[in-house]
Amino acid sequence: MVEGDWDIITGNHAAALAAKLARVNVVAAYPITPQTTVVEYLASFIESGYMSAEYIRVESEHSAMAAAIGAAAAGARTFTATSSQGLLYMAEVLHWAAGSRTPVGMAVINRSVGPPWNIHVDHQDSMSQRDTGWLQMYVSSNQEVLDTIIMMYKVSEHPDVMLPFMVCLDAFVLSHTFMPVKIPKQEEVDEFLPPYRPRHWALDPSDPMSFGNLTFPDDEYQEMRWSIDLSMRRALDIMEDVAEEFSEKFGRYHGGAIMKYGMSDADYVILTSATLASEAEVAVDIMRDEGIRIGLLKLRSFRPFPHRDLRENLQGKKGVIVVDRSISFSSGGPIGTEVRSSLYDITGSPPVINYITGLGGRDITYKDIIAMSKDAIGRISTGRLRRPYYWYKLKPEYQRVELTEEVMS
């Protein structure tokens, strides 16, 4: 591998390289499939002298995040990685990282949650952590993995943000799949991303202080939650600024909170995230050749959620087809729910057809995206909008039960 040149690498390798190029000072490491090779790559980088950082081997994911928070509180740029049950085991300390305003960086290799046990992709693990105060980004290629981790350190360490971030990549579809990736030179990344210098506070033995203190109802607990919400909202514009700055320097633009494809004259819009968005690009090209004016809004940022971007781009469209790879039981997909929330009170609000599919790694290709899109367009044109969400690609015997439920609803 040569910095400044192309290489063929996996998504996990790209995540580890991004941490190296960001000059992370501390890595907290605990294994879990399919994340393990991220911290193995980092261990090899540090052992060989290619990367200079402290490598902390811990006894659990909970401890990994606790170590990352402590290091960040002392002024270190920190990184860790996890997946599935490991992320859920971190849940308590995820709130501590955000509440303490420590800009920890983490790669989450999206894996389904057990039981039943399954190591393949869906987004239930990270979507279920949506209210922890972490910035959440979803990516579609190994190049986007590397670039987004570097960009997000700049966003999360911005004085108007100061929040931790996770960059989410699909298990095996990206984590263990080889793709061409342009590796930037270290000096170019150094020019783009300066060293982390905490401007709010940092632990210092010569100036003792505490953080995370006890507060009472009349103290500023509620105001601290408000300040996290305010920083989240401000992060949206900062993401776009950082994406444009990155594009000018490295020649690659992945979008800020969203990425548009074929949207200029679209009547219908597919809205999805992660690698499903790559399949959706192919689906858009094919359906446009058939005369269907359809476009794609790829959702990169789920937290903060880009309500304003969606309202600006979806107002007046004939319909929005949202494809979720996770389920909020009895309510629909987390993305579908948020899209409805964004659009409910605007003039010309389009109907939103939400599909739940691809759970536990069930394969979803551009052919499935086309099938869902044509089903949605048919429902819109005939007014068959009985339910807030629809399951797609259940096994036939289960799909028949679901269709019966739909007819009776």
Side-chain angles (χ1 to χ4, degrees):
M1 182 193 61
V2 178
E3 291 178 5
D5 207 346
W6 290 89
D7 204 345
I8 309 293
I9 61 174
T10 65
N12 281 0
H13 195 170
L17 272 174
K20 182 269 175 190
L21 290 165
R23 292 198 184 277
V24 161
N25 306 115
V26 173
V27 174
Y30 190 78
I32 181 171
T33 301
Q35 171 277 134
T36 303
T37 57
V38 176
V39 292
E40 288 179 343
Y41 279 120
L42 286 165
S44 67
F45 293 168
I46 294 168
E47 183 182 25
S48 67
Y50 177 55
M51 177 179 178
S52 176
E54 293 292 328
Y55 191 87
I56 306 175
R57 291 171 294 172
V58 294
E59 70 276 23
S60 72
E61 290 88 352
H62 189 284
S63 297
M65 184 49 58
I69 294 169
R77 181 172 286 158
T78 62
F79 182 79
T80 189
T82 192
S83 183
S84 187
Q85 318 296 124
L87 180 63
L88 306 188
Y89 194 25
M90 285 182 178
E92 180 203 358
V93 270
L94 293 181
H95 288 271
W96 271 94
S100 304
R101 311 305 292 262
T102 49
V104 175
M106 176 163 62
V108 172
I109 288 69
N110 284 123
R111 183 189 114 179
S112 54
V113 172
W117 218 236
N118 182 313
I119 60 170
H120 296 280
V121 59
D122 70 36
H123 299 156
Q124 198 74 29
D125 52 358
S126 54
M127 286 287 176
S128 66
Q129 306 307 310
R130 58 187 171 185
D131 296 327
T132 55
W134 281 61
L135 310 171
Q136 281 195 15
M137 303 295 288
Y138 291 80
V139 296
S140 302
S141 70
N142 294 349
Q143 184 73 67
E144 196 177 350
V145 171
L146 187 147
D147 294 346
T148 302
I149 289 173
I150 292 171
M151 283 189 277
M152 287 307 296
Y153 274 112
K154 191 152 190 167
V155 173
S156 68
E157 293 170 3
H158 192 286
D160 287 344
V161 180
M162 293 302 294
L163 288 171
F165 73 89
M166 57 181 77
V167 171
C168 303
L169 55 148
D170 285 357
F172 298 106
V173 182
L174 295 183
S175 68
H176 288 65
T177 301
F178 286 81
M179 295 181 179
V181 174
K182 181 72 179 291
I183 314 296
K185 294 179 179 177
Q186 183 65 66
E187 54 268 31
E188 292 176 336
V189 177
D190 291 344
E191 292 170 0
F192 174 79
L193 180 66
Y196 174 48
R197 297 283 185 264
R199 301 182 190 180
H200 59 331
W201 59 273
L203 293 180
D204 181 352
S206 65
D207 183 19
M209 62 180 294
S210 61
F211 70 98
N213 295 346
L214 179 66
T215 60
F216 291 95
D218 289 336
D219 294 331
E220 293 181 315
Y221 181 91
Q222 181 165 305
E223 287 70 23
M224 292 180 72
R225 289 296 175 268
W226 165 82
S227 74
I228 293 173
D229 180 60
L230 179 65
S231 294
M232 274 268 180
R233 286 179 271 140
R234 289 177 170 174
L236 284 168
D237 288 336
I238 295 167
M239 279 180 191
E240 185 58 44
D241 292 343
V242 169
E244 290 176 1
E245 180 185 350
F246 188 91
S247 175
E248 290 174 5
K249 185 161 190 63
F250 297 98
R252 295 185 294 276
Y253 177 73
H254 302 287
I258 61 169
M259 184 68 173
K260 295 185 279 189
Y261 185 77
M263 284 290 295
S264 60
D265 62 345
D267 292 328
Y268 300 94
V269 177
I270 303 167
L271 196 155
T272 191
S273 65
T275 55
L276 288 180
S278 298
E279 296 293 328
E281 284 192 24
V282 180
V284 165
D285 291 342
I286 292 172
M287 285 190 283
R288 280 188 165 270
D289 287 343
E290 296 174 356
I292 301 171
R293 294 202 301 186
I294 193 164
L296 167 68
L297 267 188
K298 173 185 168 182
L299 186 72
R300 276 174 40 84
S301 173
F302 184 67
R303 285 291 182 273
F305 195 81
H307 292 285
R308 183 184 64 198
D309 287 334
L310 265 58
R311 292 163 73 94
E312 290 176 354
N313 284 281
L314 298 179
Q315 187 172 26
K317 302 298 185 186
K318 292 182 178 178
V320 184
I321 302 106
V322 180
V323 184
D324 266 287
R325 207 162 199 165
S326 59
I327 173 70
S328 179
F329 297 110
S330 81
S331 186
I335 298 174
T337 304
E338 297 284 4
V339 171
R340 281 202 176 86
S341 174
S342 293
L343 302 178
Y344 84 99
D345 63 344
I346 64 171
T347 303
S349 175
V352 176
I353 316 298
N354 185 195
Y355 293 93
I356 313 300
T357 193
L359 306 191
R362 185 156 297 175
D363 195 26
I364 301 297
T365 72
Y366 68 90
K367 295 179 181 178
D368 297 301
I369 303 289
I370 291 172
M372 285 183 271
S373 299
K374 291 185 175 179
D375 179 71
I377 292 170
R379 289 178 181 279
I380 293 166
S381 62
T382 58
R384 291 183 297 115
L385 304 172
R386 291 193 176 97
R387 309 192 72 178
Y389 60 96
Y390 303 90
W391 284 86
Y392 176 80
K393 217 171 185 178
L394 291 170
K395 290 181 178 294
E397 59 269 34
Y398 300 92
Q399 195 73 58
R400 283 195 291 273
V401 174
E402 185 65 13
L403 288 172
T404 302
E405 291 283 318
E406 180 184 343
V407 171
M408 295 176 65
S409 63

